[in-house]
Amino acid sequence: MGNHTADSETAGPAVNGVQSVDRAVSVLEILAQRGEAGVSEVAAEIEVHKSTAFRLLGALEARGLVDQTAERGKYRLGFGIVRLAGAVTGRLDITQEGRPVCERLSEEIGETVNIAVLQEHFAVNLCQVHGPGAVGTHNWVGQLTPVYATSSGKILLAHLPAEERAAVLATCEVEKLTPRTPTAGTRLEKDLAEARERGYAVTLEEFEIGLHALAAPIRSRDGEVIAALSASGPAYRFTEGRIHEVAPLLVRGAEEISRRMGHLG
């Protein structure tokens, strides 16, 4: 882990608090990776004294996030993790139901396909499949991307009620990421109206120079837009013409995932 240092008794309580949280998360990651580990292993991995590792494991055990194996002395993740994970199972279902569709579309379109959901004022990618022609292997999974400059973000924004959309945009720090980023509210509203009308959103070098993208809405059982299905690729190949050509494929793919999520529309 490298960036952890031995305990500093001189640091203030706020610093120690943040450091403890960082270390606790590191402990959970170690156990997730190894299956189980002893106090000495954990201490060595996060570069702290054994007594500190013991206290961290004890605190996590008290909250049910880790538990001790039968022979004691070894720790593993506890079922408290399942309780926390339960809060995102709806999102996880989307990736489970959507992955086969993403895999098929990435082959058919030849570009990288993602599923993203709205988190505060970001579009966060949950699932990614690289197409056969993918240039580089950038991993967008878990990345927070700006709603105003990405095709997924635009689709998610376009289908929010006007008041909610205004609230989300009010918390955004709109940056001119490229010369083509829509920083004016009127330009963005025009794009969103177009996305609603067409059934898909397009971004042409608005998030990154040389990157074009297309996104369509995924709906829940009750018809609410809960996620966006996108395809993205290099501008020289995934041209505006090509985008409009493959848009019906992507829209149908999003509709298929929606049906898998229980939408009957």
Side-chain angles (χ1 to χ4, degrees), residues 84-205:
L84 295 179
V88 291
T89 48
R91 292 175 179 181
L92 296 176
D93 286 345
I94 296 167
T95 64
Q96 202 176 335
E97 298 299 336
R99 183 165 283 280
V101 178
C102 290
E103 285 169 355
R104 192 190 70 233
L105 284 172
S106 69
E107 287 286 334
E108 290 174 353
I109 297 172
E111 304 294 351
T112 298
V113 175
N114 273 286
I115 292 175
V117 294
L118 190 66
Q119 184 174 312
E120 295 168 3
H121 53 281
F122 296 103
V124 59
N125 293 286
L126 301 181
C127 174
Q128 173 173 287
V129 179
H130 286 294
V135 177
T137 54
H138 186 91
N139 184 10
W140 295 101
V141 175
Q143 290 213 358
L144 302 175
T145 59
V147 282
Y148 56 86
T150 55
S151 59
S152 293
K154 284 186 186 181
I155 273 293
L156 294 165
L157 272 181
H159 291 278
L160 281 180
E163 259 180 54
E164 273 183 59
R165 183 163 60 249
V168 168
L169 289 170
T171 59
C172 282
E173 286 180 27
V174 178
E175 284 179 71
K176 194 102 180 131
L177 302 167
T178 78
R180 302 187 76 163
T181 306
T183 50
T186 48
R187 152 87 195 281
L188 183 60
E189 279 298 339
K190 182 175 171 290
D191 285 359
L192 300 182
E194 198 170 64
R196 281 190 295 273
E197 197 179 314
R198 273 182 181 161
Y200 61 90
V202 173
T203 50
L204 306 170
E205 300 190 288

Side-chain angles (χ1 to χ4, degrees), residues 213-228:
L214 156 75
I218 295 170
R219 297 176 187 275
S220 66
R221 185 187 303 256
D222 60 7
E224 182 193 348
V225 172
I226 50 170

